[in-house]
Amino acid sequence: MKPRLSRKARVQPDPRDGRPVLLSPERGLRLGDTAAAIVALCDGTREVDAIIDELTARYAAPRDTIARDVEALLDDLHDRALMEGWNRKTGRREGLAVAPSTLPASPSSDDLSSPYTLVAELTHRCPLACPYCSNPKQLVRGNEELSTEQWLRVVDEAADLGVMQLHLTGGEPLARSDLDVIAKRAHDRNLYVSLVTSGVPLDQARLGRLAPSLDHVQLSVQDADAASSDRIAGLASHEQKMRVASWVKALGLPLTVNVVLHRANLDRVEAVVAMAERLGADRLELANVQLVSWALENTAALLPTRAQIERARVVAHEARERLAGKMEVVFVLPDWHADRPRACMDGWGRRFVVVAPDGAVLPCQAARCLPMSFESVRDASLGHLWREGEGMRAFRGEAWMPEPCKSCDRRTIDHGGCRCQAFALTGDARATDPACSLAPQHSLVKDARARAEGETDTARTWVYRGR
């Protein structure tokens, strides 16, 4: 076996400290010295035994110890579909105990002087009208958007600040005629560029022009069933999405299929997995709906039952095991059916920075629902606003936390949960996220779940984004 990194992964130094980072869709994995040395030798030209021999000589360590480290890392990267030419079931030597990998899930520095990922919301314009859209209720109009030159400056400032990944998103980023120019600037600045798109409107020629500047394409699909998908999207678009997926694969670009799960499609997760397999997706993201912004308006029609979630979780787990090494399957549990909230965007102003179409600098896409102001890159540099902007500092760290958050042993894990969710449900952005079972107002979520359990009608009329 001659292992090599998959097409969707690459290694480059972290601008903060020079440590090597393995970049891939939605993730950056900081590599220790041994892991970096292993990955550097996985170039498709060496057998695993040759890699072990070379590292044994380099580190003057027992060969079994080096073999254990090599195979543990290859197992980990194989399971994430980041390593080709290796199979954890057949590549491992008999009788060798493999230690669990210590590869961290993301850059682990607590230095908040710079973000890791820039989410560039190029526009709020979109031909779709999904009822769970995370865009704010007050959409930025086309004539209020940043110009091409302003977006290029944002990309340059992000790269200078230490950003390593860029998500080109919206709305629908394809609505910007200058998308290829912005993507090329990001590529030239050595950012890992992901296009987050509905695939509408897109033709094969334009994708071909964009492809040299892209590292990855995330395609949103609403359901495996065309009629249901079109209804959810508010536009007949499913067939177009299938064509776009085939074009992405034909160009050799890594493909993520993203499906937002909710009451109306959660029972078809098995069909969604089969669809992603047919499309040759490298990654399938099954993200349960986050009930903020437009989705909050549609809670009754979107909030699933616990039985639906449990069935879907079993299907996703089985698919993840079966497809390990071929397609990464990610199942994101909904906050409202968990005992503790997730770390929204990995914590307020910790790793992600969002620039809205009009230049507002935000910690997440939905933050404009909050009763606070966010400064714009029209008035100051991205670096200044990241470090000193009033909005970006509002809930960074722990000083703002009320009880029970500030004494909870999970406060450094979930960072207090989602501020937008807290405000939407309680009217207080500083309140403990009601998704947490310890929250004083957790009954708001419990009552909503109880109503969902008793609801039988799933054919509700939705409030569509922008309509």
Side-chain angles (χ1 to χ4, degrees):
M1 292 187 175
K2 297 180 179 179
R4 63 188 180 280
L5 282 178
S6 71
R7 165 69 176 79
K8 64 181 178 181
R10 74 167 189 254
V11 177
Q12 67 187 58
D14 189 325
R16 300 157 189 76
D17 57 14
R19 299 294 300 180
V21 177
L22 178 60
L23 297 174
S24 64
E26 308 285 339
R27 182 183 293 124
L29 301 172
R30 284 170 64 89
L31 303 176
D33 292 341
T34 303
I38 295 169
V39 170
L41 295 175
C42 292
D43 58 4
T45 67
R46 299 172 176 84
E47 297 283 350
V48 174
D49 281 339
I51 293 173
I52 294 170
D53 288 341
E54 184 166 339
L55 292 173
T56 298
R58 182 184 305 180
Y59 292 110
R63 194 176 191 279
D64 279 357
T65 300
I66 294 295
R68 184 169 59 248
D69 289 345
V70 168
E71 293 183 359
L73 182 61
L74 293 181
D75 279 355
D76 194 327
L77 296 180
H78 171 270
D79 287 351
R80 300 171 191 260
L82 298 178
M83 183 66 66
E84 300 174 355
W86 169 257
N87 187 310
R88 62 176 174 172
K89 294 180 179 178
T90 61
R92 195 182 294 164
R93 272 158 294 286
E94 289 293 328
L96 184 64
V98 179
S101 171
T102 57
L103 195 66
S106 62
S108 56
S109 173
D110 287 327
D111 178 10
L112 302 181
S113 62
S114 62
Y116 174 77
T117 299
L118 167 63
V119 179
E121 287 190 309
L122 301 182
T123 181
H124 282 160
R125 289 174 283 159
C126 184
L128 274 57
C130 302
Y132 48 74
C133 183
S134 63
N135 286 159
K137 301 297 288 296
Q138 297 298 320
L139 300 174
V140 173
R141 294 172 296 190
N143 62 358
E144 299 171 331
E145 295 172 4
L146 296 180
S147 67
T148 302
E149 289 305 315
Q150 287 170 323
W151 272 118
L152 295 179
R153 175 173 63 81
V154 168
V155 169
D156 285 339
E157 290 178 354
D160 292 341
L161 190 57
V163 164
M164 301 190 75
Q165 293 210 351
L166 171 66
H167 299 171
L168 296 171
T169 183
E172 176 47 67
L174 294 169
R176 294 276 306 212
S177 61
D178 56 0
L179 176 61
D180 56 336
V181 176
I182 298 169
K184 184 178 185 304
R185 177 62 64 87
H187 173 77
D188 290 345
R189 293 303 306 265
N190 209 31
L191 302 183
Y192 189 101
V193 183
S194 292
L195 174 62
V196 182
T197 179
S198 69
V200 183
L202 183 62
D203 58 52
Q204 195 168 7
R206 188 181 187 194
L207 182 59
R209 294 192 297 271
L210 280 166
S213 299
L214 302 178
D215 292 284
H216 163 244
V217 175
Q218 177 178 301
L219 180 68
S220 69
V221 181
Q222 282 64 36
D223 202 337
D225 176 77
S228 173
S229 182
D230 292 344
R231 175 178 177 261
I232 295 168
L235 180 75
S237 54
H238 187 78
E239 290 186 7
Q240 165 69 2
K241 293 171 183 288
M242 299 299 99
R243 286 192 292 269
V244 170
S246 68
W247 299 339
V248 171
K249 294 302 296 183
L251 288 166
L253 288 169
L255 172 67
T256 289
V257 171
N258 174 273
V259 181
V260 176
L261 299 178
H262 46 82
R263 188 181 187 92
N265 66 5
L266 200 53
D267 295 328
R268 288 190 287 274
V269 169
E270 192 168 6
V272 167
V273 172
M275 174 189 68
E277 288 186 80
R278 290 195 303 272
L279 295 176
D282 301 272
R283 187 170 179 271
L284 172 61
E285 184 174 311
L286 301 167
N288 280 276
V289 65
Q290 181 81 350
L291 293 168
V292 295
S293 192
W294 295 95
L296 190 65
E297 295 287 324
N298 293 293
T299 297
L302 295 175
L303 187 62
T305 66
R306 182 170 294 278
Q308 282 184 296
I309 292 171
E310 290 305 319
R311 286 194 298 269
R313 180 159 52 180
V314 170
V315 171
H317 175 77
E318 292 174 349
R320 183 166 56 247
E321 292 294 307
R322 177 172 60 83
L323 297 170
K326 180 180 179 182
M327 181 173 74
E328 182 182 13
V329 179
V330 179
F331 185 79
V332 183
L333 279 171
D335 278 4
W336 286 26
H337 284 83
D339 289 333
R340 299 290 187 272
R342 290 182 290 116
C344 183
M345 302 293 282
D346 285 339
W348 183 286
R350 291 180 57 83
R351 292 186 61 235
F352 288 85
V353 61
V354 177
V355 177
D358 59 355
V361 176
L362 313 168
C364 71
Q365 292 97 319
R368 271 193 159 157
C369 72
L370 301 175
M372 55 191 299
S373 61
F374 294 95
E375 300 95 330
S376 171
V377 293
R378 298 180 193 270
D379 304 316
S381 71
L382 181 63
H384 173 78
L385 296 180
W386 168 262
R387 289 186 291 266
E388 304 297 333
E390 181 181 349
M392 293 304 298
R393 296 172 60 189
F395 299 108
R396 184 181 280 160
E398 301 176 12
W400 63 271
M401 291 183 179
E403 290 289 3
C405 295
K406 68 180 180 181
S407 59
C408 179
D409 58 5
R410 286 183 55 86
R411 68 186 183 279
T412 59
I413 299 172
D414 60 35
H415 306 289
C418 178
R419 296 301 88 217
C420 300
Q421 186 163 261
F423 176 73
L425 294 176
T426 72
D428 181 4
R430 294 181 176 273
T432 298
D433 187 342
C436 179
S437 63
L438 301 177
Q441 292 168 288
H442 182 59
S443 61
L444 294 169
V445 170
K446 289 178 64 178
D447 291 346
R449 291 200 309 249
R451 288 192 295 272
E453 296 296 331
E455 178 61 66
T456 59
D457 177 20
T458 60
R460 291 177 175 269
T461 300
W462 291 337
V463 178
Y464 284 102
R465 170 199 185 273
R467 294 184 182 172

